[in-house]
Amino acid sequence: MPGPGTLPAPPTGPPPGAQAVHRALGLLHCFHDNGPDLSASELARRMGLSVSTAHRLARTLVATGFLDQDERTARYRLGPAVAELGQLSFHQRGLHLAGPELAELARRTGATADLAIRSGPHAVILVGGSVLPSTGLGLRRPLHSTALGKVLLAWPSPAETPLRGPLPAYTPRTLTDPAALDAELARTRERGYALNDGESATGVRTLAVPVLDRAGTARFALAVRSTPAHLPDEALPRTLAHAHTCARALAVLLLPPDQR
């Protein structure tokens, strides 16, 4: 028991309600794959919860606008609150300003130009040629097998954790040895760009550079993607110069609101 004038020790466990918040956010992440609407039992299976718990969480999210429920099928989909927050985040990050810069980079290089951020073990493309017009969604690509991912790993923020667990192979070229990946990240930092030579998909070559903040962290990764025939070694210096020019412009356009 604390003595007079002393403060009680801070709690060491998670705050009350943290498990419910974690589960609710996990429920929303179940819709990442843009698949069909999900039932309570499908949500429960994906989350490892009982159906009654998944149903209760889903109903709470429906009440707050984060999920919708089809009255006929009782299945769930993402709700308007998610769309509203997504649009708000998109504009707060300045991403609506990035499209013209990426289009110009694509025109100059004759390749696909994309901008991505890190989300856990993936690089998520937010703007660029890989965003599907039908859904507004970009690709989610593994960090270790992509040029975008290598850039995000090579210039991480202090809050981001290194990759853990086995590194799956997607082609015979994929780096699956953590030591080999670490060496590749060191080369990436030294030369200022990353390459993906058929490591995520055969016949694809990608060059990526960081969009750095004032602390030297890659807030975004910028990639130019094509085929080895279109991006041979002799074309890399020219492509890299265009990519760096675009990255410098984006570093200004994508400044946080309080720094613009």
Side-chain angles (χ1 to χ4, degrees), residues 12-233:
T12 57
Q19 184 185 54
V21 172
H22 181 79
R23 286 177 170 178
L25 293 174
L27 212 67
L28 293 176
H29 279 284
C30 289
F31 296 88
H32 256 146
D33 58 6
N34 193 36
D37 297 354
L38 299 174
S39 67
S41 61
E42 288 167 335
L43 289 170
R45 185 171 62 253
R46 294 189 181 198
M47 290 287 296
L49 301 172
S50 68
V51 174
S52 61
T53 298
H55 180 72
R56 185 168 63 251
L57 285 169
R59 292 299 301 159
T60 300
L61 291 170
V62 168
T64 53
F66 286 89
L67 288 182
D68 271 340
Q69 187 177 32
D70 189 291
E71 293 183 358
R72 182 178 58 86
T73 66
R75 298 171 75 86
Y76 297 96
R77 65 176 70 92
L78 292 176
V82 175
E84 183 180 6
L85 289 176
Q87 285 292 327
L88 182 61
S89 175
F90 191 85
H91 281 266
Q92 284 182 340
R93 289 173 177 266
L95 290 167
H96 60 295
L97 304 172
E101 297 293 335
L102 294 173
E104 177 63 14
L105 177 60
R107 186 190 70 78
R108 288 178 178 273
T109 61
T112 300
D114 290 316
L115 189 72
I117 61 171
R118 180 176 177 177
S119 177
H122 295 94
V124 180
I125 295 172
L126 299 177
V127 192
S130 296
V131 174
L132 300 175
S134 59
T135 63
L137 296 175
L139 298 173
R140 291 175 63 85
R141 305 300 297 151
L143 291 174
H144 71 285
S145 66
T146 59
L148 285 168
K150 291 176 189 177
V151 162
L152 294 168
L153 289 170
W155 287 274
S157 74
E160 289 171 342
T161 58
L163 287 182
R164 293 188 175 91
L167 302 176
Y170 299 99
T171 75
R173 290 175 172 260
T174 305
L175 295 176
T176 58
D177 177 14
L181 178 61
D182 287 342
E184 175 67 12
L185 297 180
R187 284 192 293 271
T188 295
R189 285 187 293 270
E190 181 179 356
R191 64 192 180 189
Y193 67 92
L195 276 179
N196 166 14
D197 272 315
E199 296 164 51
S200 58
T202 302
V204 175
R205 194 176 206 200
T206 307
L207 178 149
V209 298
V211 178
L212 297 171
D213 62 16
R214 294 175 180 176
T217 294
R219 293 183 60 235
F220 303 92
L222 170 67
V224 177
R225 176 171 54 84
S226 190
T227 64
H230 186 78
L231 284 179
D233 289 346

